[in-house]
Every structure is written in C-alpha cells, then in structure tokens.
C-alpha cells in the first residue's frame, strides 16, 4: 500500500478540570460561592451537582421561597436584579438558576454591574443546556467571571472513571461487571452517562446471575449508530458481505436516514484508511487485510452512496443519483486508474447500472458485490430472471408491502 507522509500533530490537550474539582470541594466543605456557569456535554453530572447545590443551600420545604428560576427567553437584567434583592426566608442563602441564556449577548454592561455587586447570601448559576457556551475573553464580563465566579465545564468522562462508575451502579443493583465488559458497554452505547444509566438499568434487570456478561449486554442494550456501522465495516474488511448486507438492512429497517448512514460509514472508513497508511501499525494482519481489500471498500462506499441518493429521492434514475455517480467517476479518473482502485470506468458503470436501474434498496434487499462474481446486475445482463449473491437468488417480484422477496 502507498506510504503517506504524516505531519506531526501535537497531542490533544486534556480538558481543564480545576473548576470542576473546586466545585466538588466547595460543596463538600460548605464553602459554596456566589456565581457559577455550568456548561458541557455531560448533562448527568451538570444536573447532579446542581441538585447538590440545592440540597446544601435550601432547607427542606422552603424551596418555593428561596429558589428562583429564569429561562433564557424571559430573562432580562431588571428581573435578575429584583431576584437578587430578594432576601432569604428562614434560610441563609437563596439560589437563582438561569437556564439557557447567553450572557455574552444582550446588555453586557448592565449584567456586569449586577454580577459585580452580588450579595453574599445569593448563589447565581447560569446553566447552558440547549445552547453552547462560547466565552468571549475580550469582554469585561469574562474578566469579571474569572474574578468573582467560576466557569465549570462538565466534559465527557474518561474511560477509567466511567468503568469505576459503571461498576458502582451495578453493585447498587446487586450485580458485578468486569472491566473489559464495562469497556464494551461504553463502546456499544456511548460514553454519555444519562444514556448509560438507562442501559445499566435494563441490563441489571435482565441479568440472571450476579456477574453481568457480554451476552447480557448484547441481549438488551441499544447500540449507538457508530457501533453498528463499525460491525458493518468490520464485515466488509473480512469479505463477509452477507453480514454487511444484514447489518445495513437492519439499520434501514430501523428507519435510519440513508444519508446519515453514509456519513457515519465514511467516517469509519477514513479511520481505517488512516490505520492502513501507518507503516508501524500496517504490519498487523488485520490492517494488511484492509490494504488488500481497499477495492472492496470503495465498491461498498459507491454502492451505499448511490443507494442512499436513490432511497432519499425515490425509485428510478434521478438527477441526484446521476450527480453522485458523476462525482465518483471524476474522483477515480483523476487517480489515473491506479492499481487497487476502481480506475476502470466500466466497473463504475456496472455498479451505477445496478443501483440506478435495479430494485430499490430496502431492509430485505441490499445490492452488494462479491469477489469473483462482479456486480449483482450481472444476472440481469446474462438474461437470468433474478440476481445472484453468494449462491442466493434475489427475486424481483414485489410483495404486498412493496418490498422485494429473496
């Protein structure tokens, strides 16, 4: 395979957790400040620590008098100033929560004047949930936040922290899980804790034994799209096109958008190509297989691209399908017919003919290519009534639901 000159990239910086650790310390020691900004992808931790602030600051039964909430749509500085002036009732502190308001928009000077004079009995928290927090370091407001308050990012947790947390959640359900199985659960369902909580609950209720196994996870866990597409690319790399077609059919049956599937598939294939181009890793058997089967990858990508365009815009030849085909023809012709690539325009024409004029791709049929057999349209060109794939016939007769029977 071709060698690619790599540009040395600096290592990815670890997220700053100083503000997060300080918040945990403040809550534990009872030294909660007056101004916070909560933001980040990990909604579970953000909601958890907001709940901890409420428990520490608000006496039970007095939340109605000492807890004030504002949404971003109804926020104005005058209303905030009035809430700040409200004295606590049978409590030492009041808590003001402002949801989804961009503090760097609107009247920043008036807001800065209110934040600068926050009394000690107030704890003001700006929570970014549906909108993204984008700090503007050039403003006086950013300097004021750094001086008077704390901007706390709730980032995705590292794998080690998630494994420990998953183990604690299963122990609370009287179950145990191994480290490798916990990592597999993270890979399958993602690393966001809110999603993992629901999956842990399902697995814990399903598992019949104290020890949770991978079979328990596969039985009830809902995999994320990236994990399912990884199974499809893994099957393509191994030349198991029956498995790849089965996974693709399941995804279409789940009504996943074809364009979304194509985007995720392309991302996975680019990752695999990066591995292939790495000389150090390229000596491994699996990567060698990927390099030898690069033509298979490109055939599969072209088929998926054309099929996605056809599904999205209806059966029959359309300008969308023709546009996709034209892009691929241009890309491959620019390579000059390099060995190991689809440089032969006739091969692209065969695949285009298969997808554009063949049966519409559904969750029961999938146009695929097997080594040594050519595109599945070959059966039609030779006068046979159906398509052949790995010894199977794909009938053109429509069913009652409009799909195609094998």
């Amino acid at each position: 395979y071709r060698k690619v000159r790599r540009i040395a990239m600096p290592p990815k910086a670890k997220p700053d957790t100083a503000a997060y650790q300080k918040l945990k310390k403040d809550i534990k020691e009872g030294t909660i400040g007056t101004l916070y900004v909560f933001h980040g992808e990990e909604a579970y931790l953000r909601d958890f620590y907001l709940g901890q602030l409420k428990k520490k600051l608000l006496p039970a039964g007095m939340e109605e008098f000492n807890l004030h909430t504002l949404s971003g749509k109804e926020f104005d500085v005058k209303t905030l100033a009035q809430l700040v002036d409200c004295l606590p009732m049978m409590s030492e502190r009041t808590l003001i929560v402002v949801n989804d308001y961009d503090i760097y928009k609107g009247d920043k000077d008036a807001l800065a004047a209110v934040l600068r004079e926050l009394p000690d009995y107030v704890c003001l928290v700006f929570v970014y949930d549906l909108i993204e927090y984008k700090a503007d370091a050039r403003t006086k407001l950013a300097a004021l936040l750094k001086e008077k308050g704390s901007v706390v990012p709730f980032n995705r947790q590292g794998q080690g922290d998630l494994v420990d947390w998953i183990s604690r959640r299963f122990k609370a359900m009287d179950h145990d899980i191994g480290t490798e199985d916990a990592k597999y659960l993270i890979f399958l369902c993602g690393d966001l804790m809110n999603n993992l909580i629901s999956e842990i609950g399902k697995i814990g209720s399903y598992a019949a034994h104290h020890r949770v196994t991978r079979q328990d996870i596969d039985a009830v866990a809902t995999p994320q799209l990236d994990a399912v597409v990884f199974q499809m690319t893994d099957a393509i790399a191994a030349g198991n096109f029956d498995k790849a077609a089965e996974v693709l059919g399941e995804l279409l049956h789940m009504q996943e958008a074809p364009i979304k599937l194509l985007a995720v598939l392309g991302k996975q294939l680019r990752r695999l190509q990066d591995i292939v181009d790495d000389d150090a890793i390229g000596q491994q058997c699996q990567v060698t297989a990927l390099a030898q089967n690069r033509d298979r990858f490109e055939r599969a990508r072209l088929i998926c691209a054309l099929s996605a365009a056809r599904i999205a815009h209806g059966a029959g030849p359309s300008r969308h399908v023709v546009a996709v085909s034209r892009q691929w023809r241009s890309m491959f012709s620019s390579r000059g017919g390099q060995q190991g690539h689809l440089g032969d325009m006739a091969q692209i024409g065969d695949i285009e003919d298969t997808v554009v004029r063949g049966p519409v791709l559904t969750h029961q049929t999938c146009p695929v290519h097997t080594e040594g057999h050519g595109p599945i349209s070959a059966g039609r060109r030779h006068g046979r009534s159906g398509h052949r794939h790995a010894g199977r016939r794909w009938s053109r007769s429509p069913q009652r639901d409009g799909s195609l029977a094998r």
Side-chain angles (χ1 to χ4, degrees):
Y1 50 86
R2 57 188 175 90
K3 296 181 178 179
V4 177
R5 184 178 180 182
R6 291 183 173 272
I7 301 176
M9 299 294 290
K12 187 177 180 179
K14 293 183 179 180
D16 186 10
T17 61
Y20 174 67
Q21 298 298 333
K22 186 178 185 301
L23 173 65
K24 293 171 62 176
K25 182 180 178 181
D26 290 345
I27 294 176
K28 183 178 180 180
E29 298 179 354
T31 57
I32 298 173
T34 58
L35 178 60
Y36 292 97
V37 176
F38 287 0
H39 70 96
E41 295 178 285
E42 193 48 81
Y44 171 81
L45 290 178
R46 185 186 65 228
D47 295 341
F48 174 79
Y49 283 105
L50 183 60
Q52 292 296 306
L53 287 180
K54 293 178 181 179
K55 288 182 180 180
K56 283 286 186 178
L57 298 177
L58 307 176
M62 302 304 297
E63 293 88 356
E64 184 177 353
F65 302 99
N66 300 306
L67 174 61
H68 312 287
T69 59
L70 280 175
S71 66
K73 294 181 179 180
E74 63 184 15
F75 178 88
D76 65 80
V77 178
K78 183 178 180 181
T79 303
L80 177 63
Q82 292 174 351
L83 293 178
V84 169
D85 290 337
C86 291
L87 296 174
M89 170 105 33
M90 300 180 67
S91 173
E92 295 182 359
R93 307 280 302 267
T94 61
L95 177 62
I96 304 173
V97 180
V98 181
N99 294 302
D100 289 322
Y101 174 74
D102 192 345
I103 60 178
Y104 291 99
K105 293 182 180 180
D107 193 347
K108 294 188 288 292
D109 292 335
L111 179 60
V114 173
L115 299 183
R116 191 176 293 109
E117 303 297 331
L118 281 178
D120 294 337
Y121 61 81
V122 170
C123 179
L124 174 59
V125 183
F126 289 93
V127 179
Y128 284 74
D129 182 16
L130 302 178
I131 64 175
E132 184 181 0
Y133 175 74
K134 296 181 179 179
D136 189 351
R138 301 169 299 176
T139 62
K140 296 180 180 179
L141 187 59
L144 180 63
L145 282 175
K146 187 176 181 180
E147 177 187 356
K148 299 285 187 178
S150 179
V151 179
V152 185
F154 293 94
N155 302 309
R156 293 173 182 257
Q157 298 297 288
Q159 189 179 71
D161 294 334
L162 280 178
V163 168
D164 294 339
W165 176 76
I166 290 172
S167 298
R168 293 195 300 269
R169 298 289 300 192
F170 274 115
K171 285 181 180 178
M173 302 179 67
D174 197 26
H175 284 290
D176 186 25
I177 187 172
T179 300
E180 293 304 318
D181 289 335
K183 291 180 180 179
Y184 176 71
L185 177 61
I186 296 170
F187 162 76
L188 193 66
C189 302
D191 57 357
L192 288 178
M193 299 170 79
N194 267 339
N195 185 50
L196 286 172
I197 286 176
S198 61
E199 299 301 331
I200 290 171
K202 289 191 298 182
I203 296 168
S205 300
Y206 174 83
H209 304 286
H210 178 71
R211 182 78 170 188
V212 173
T213 64
R214 185 165 298 193
Q215 288 73 24
D216 296 329
I217 297 174
D218 290 333
V220 295
T222 303
Q224 61 177 351
L225 181 59
D226 283 6
V228 179
V229 172
F230 183 83
Q231 295 175 4
M232 183 166 63
T233 56
D234 202 26
I236 294 174
N240 188 353
F241 291 97
D242 281 336
K243 177 64 176 177
E246 179 184 348
V247 174
L248 180 58
E250 290 175 356
L251 289 171
L252 294 174
H253 184 61
M254 294 164 58
Q255 299 183 348
E256 292 285 357
I259 296 300
K260 183 179 179 181
L261 295 180
L262 182 61
V264 178
L265 178 63
K267 181 177 70 173
Q268 293 284 9
L269 294 179
R270 284 192 295 271
R271 290 177 180 175
L272 294 175
Q273 187 64 54
D274 288 341
I275 299 176
V276 171
D277 292 333
D278 195 324
D279 288 343
I281 306 177
Q283 302 301 321
Q284 299 177 6
C285 296
Q286 182 180 4
V287 177
T288 302
L290 293 176
Q292 294 172 349
N293 292 290
R294 182 181 299 162
D295 184 64
R296 293 181 180 178
F297 278 112
E298 294 186 341
R299 287 181 186 277
R301 289 176 63 192
L302 175 55
I303 289 172
C304 287
L306 293 172
S307 300
R310 187 175 179 192
I311 293 172
H313 301 284
S318 68
R319 59 186 179 86
H320 303 280
V321 179
V322 173
V324 172
S325 178
R326 186 177 299 146
Q327 292 177 358
W328 280 74
R329 284 175 176 269
S330 175
M331 179 177 67
F332 289 124
S333 63
S334 65
R335 293 175 176 174
Q338 297 178 5
Q339 186 177 5
H341 293 80
L342 291 177
D344 187 357
M345 292 296 116
Q347 296 183 42
I348 300 179
D350 287 341
I351 297 176
E352 178 187 355
D353 183 65
T354 296
V355 178
V356 174
R357 299 180 180 85
V360 181
L361 181 67
T362 68
H363 69 277
Q364 292 179 327
T365 62
C366 179
V368 292
H369 177 277
T370 55
E371 187 176 8
H373 292 278
I376 59 175
S377 59
R380 179 169 35 71
R381 292 204 311 271
H382 290 290
R384 293 192 291 272
S385 60
H387 299 301
R388 289 189 177 275
H389 169 55
R392 300 177 180 176
R393 297 182 67 83
W394 298 79
S395 171
R396 288 177 172 273
S397 59
Q399 303 299 300
R400 292 182 179 179
D401 61 353
S403 61
L404 295 165
R406 179 156 64 185

